[in-house]
Amino acid sequence: MSELDKRLQMVYEKIKSKEIISRKGLGNEIPYYIFDYDPHDELKIRDFVKLIMKNFSYIGSEINPVEIDLYEVFLEILKEKNIFDVIEEYEKNMGKDKMFRALESVSKPENFINIITKQVEGHNLILITGVGKVWPFMRAHILNNLKNHIDKTATILFFPGTFSGTSVKLFSIFEDKNYYRGFKIS
């Protein structure tokens, strides 16, 4: 069994035992966890999240997970702002730089937070994925803002890179100087 498989098994057991949703061992801390991984393992992480969703998304389950794929949220924002259908044409006419700035302008933290808070209602476990897919339009630090809106709901951020316990490095290359108040899981 690989090191990643062992870590994923540990996370699965913590979810299954309800340790994560019960906030066991956290005191009054926000139940916010970061699972960092080598970006080359992205497909394995996606399969793991599908497994969690499949095994715990049934009527009567005490664990009620929801996956929030940040890239899918970004696409939803673009559709809400009536930009999605014109991106290709905009790029042809204005160029990549202007298109990029236009996309950045709609990827404000509040746009993500508004959609995410609606999607997580009624769930007691949030699995956040798609951090690498949505970069550079959204940075992981918006998740610090999200905690103010969902601070009672257990959350696991699957992060393609490294988490030091206080800061993250996307793809183990791009360092984010923001402080992350979360717990490294596994």
Side-chain angles (χ1 to χ4, degrees), residues 21-163:
I21 63 168
S22 69
R23 301 171 72 169
K24 189 176 178 181
L26 291 181
N28 270 342
E29 292 292 325
I30 295 170
Y32 190 76
Y33 303 91
I34 299 176
F35 184 91
D36 60 349
Y37 60 92
D38 185 321
H40 293 101
D41 292 322
E42 178 68 28
L43 296 179
K44 190 170 232 177
I45 298 300
R46 290 181 193 177
D47 287 343
F48 176 74
V49 171
K50 285 179 191 169
L51 177 74
I52 296 297
M53 295 303 296
K54 177 182 168 226
N55 289 355
F56 296 105
S57 295
Y58 60 88
I59 296 172
S61 176
E62 291 181 55
I63 301 163
N64 189 6
V66 60
E67 179 184 2
I68 302 296
D69 181 324
L70 296 175
Y71 181 72
E72 294 298 324
V73 173
F74 182 58
L75 293 179
E76 193 171 328
I77 292 167
L78 295 178
K79 289 173 186 173
E80 278 184 6
K81 303 290 183 187
N82 297 316
I83 296 172
F84 183 79
D85 294 327
V86 297
I87 291 173
E88 190 176 340
E89 192 64 34
Y90 194 84
E91 182 181 2
K92 284 180 193 174
N93 295 334
M94 305 301 238
K96 282 186 180 184
D97 290 339
K98 283 189 178 180
M99 182 206 61
F100 184 82
R101 283 194 298 280
L103 294 176
E104 270 188 320
S105 73
V106 298
S107 41
K108 296 176 181 159
E110 58 269 15
N111 291 335
F112 279 87
I113 290 167
N114 289 339
I115 291 172
I116 293 169
T117 52
K118 290 175 194 166
Q119 291 179 352
V120 302
E121 274 184 35
H123 297 276
N124 61 5
L125 177 62
I126 304 166
L127 308 172
I128 299 177
T129 62
V131 173
K133 293 189 294 183
V134 77
W135 181 86
F137 300 108
M138 196 225 58
R139 311 292 169 126
H141 71 271
I142 122 165
L143 301 170
N144 281 337
N145 299 334
L146 183 61
K147 287 187 282 185
N148 296 328
H149 300 274
I150 56 168
D151 67 337
K152 303 252 186 293
T153 308
T155 303
I156 302 173
L157 167 67
F158 290 91
F159 187 81
T162 53
F163 174 54

